[in-house]
């Protein structure tokens, strides 16, 4: 299973003072709650799938690819400007060089190549079985 995320911001790493939050209206609070819910949902789905694949001793059959520190215009899903597309392409290029996780020093580039070979080998195996 190759799970491709749309990216998240590091917005929740930022702290707010009581004075700041006291000025927030209902809309700001609703946006914060929505962001937290979406982030938690994405994280929990990834955690659940990762755990299931580990329990099945198939952790090499699951790869989640997602940038978790988007900033600026790259966080805007409705900005399809050429400049933003170039920024997003650069985010993807940079992500390829990052390690998959703290526990897995393999880069995303290495992991995707390994994953592609695994899928290709399995397709060839199925094609060979079908030709008998």
């Amino acid at each position: 299973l190759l799970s491709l995320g749309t990216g998240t911001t590091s917005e929740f790493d930022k702290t707010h003072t009581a004075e700041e939050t006291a000025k927030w209206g209902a809309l700001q609070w609703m946006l914060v709650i929505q962001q937290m819910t979406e982030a938690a949902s994405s994280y929990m789905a990834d955690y659940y799938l990762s755990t299931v694949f580990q329990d099945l001793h198939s952790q090499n059959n699951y790869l989640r690819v997602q940038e978790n520190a988007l900033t600026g215009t790259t966080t805007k899903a409705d900005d399809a400007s050429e400049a933003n597309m170039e920024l997003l392409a650069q985010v993807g290029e940079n992500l390829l060089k990052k390690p998959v996780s703290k526990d897995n020093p393999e880069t995303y580039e290495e992991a995707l190549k390994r994953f592609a070979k695994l899928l290709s080998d399995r397709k060839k195996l199925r094609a060979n079985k079908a030709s008998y």
Side-chain angles (χ1 to χ4, degrees):
L1 175 65
L2 178 60
S3 175
L4 300 176
T6 57
T8 62
T9 67
S10 55
E11 186 69 24
F12 297 108
D13 294 339
K14 188 169 102 178
T15 58
H16 299 282
T17 65
E19 290 80 21
E20 288 176 313
T21 58
K23 296 174 187 172
W24 289 359
L27 181 59
Q28 181 66 32
W29 279 109
M30 288 174 56
L31 290 172
V32 168
I33 291 168
Q34 178 187 6
Q35 289 174 341
M36 290 174 62
T37 303
E38 288 172 4
S41 176
S42 174
Y43 173 79
M44 290 306 297
D46 176 43
Y47 179 79
Y48 173 74
L49 287 168
S50 177
T51 302
V52 168
F53 276 83
Q54 286 176 17
D55 287 348
L56 297 171
H57 304 288
S58 299
Q59 53 268 28
N60 288 336
N61 295 335
Y62 175 71
L63 178 62
R64 172 73 174 172
V65 179
Q66 174 159 286
E67 174 57 61
N68 292 314
L70 294 176
T71 59
T73 59
T74 61
T75 64
K76 298 182 188 315
D78 61 348
D79 184 350
S81 67
E82 187 173 336
N84 199 46
M85 293 296 105
E86 288 175 13
L87 282 173
L88 287 169
Q90 188 60 52
V91 167
E93 291 290 328
N94 294 341
L95 183 60
L96 289 172
K97 307 299 181 213
K98 290 183 178 181
V100 171
S101 70
K102 293 176 186 174
D103 300 329
N104 183 356
E106 180 181 42
T107 66
Y108 278 106
E109 183 174 26
E110 295 165 337
L112 286 166
K113 285 179 181 177
R114 177 185 51 77
F115 210 77
K117 180 168 179 6
L118 175 71
L119 293 173
S120 176
D121 290 348
R122 289 191 179 175
K123 182 178 180 184
K124 288 175 189 173
L125 182 64
R126 282 193 306 274
N128 287 339
K129 285 182 179 181
S131 66
Y132 288 116

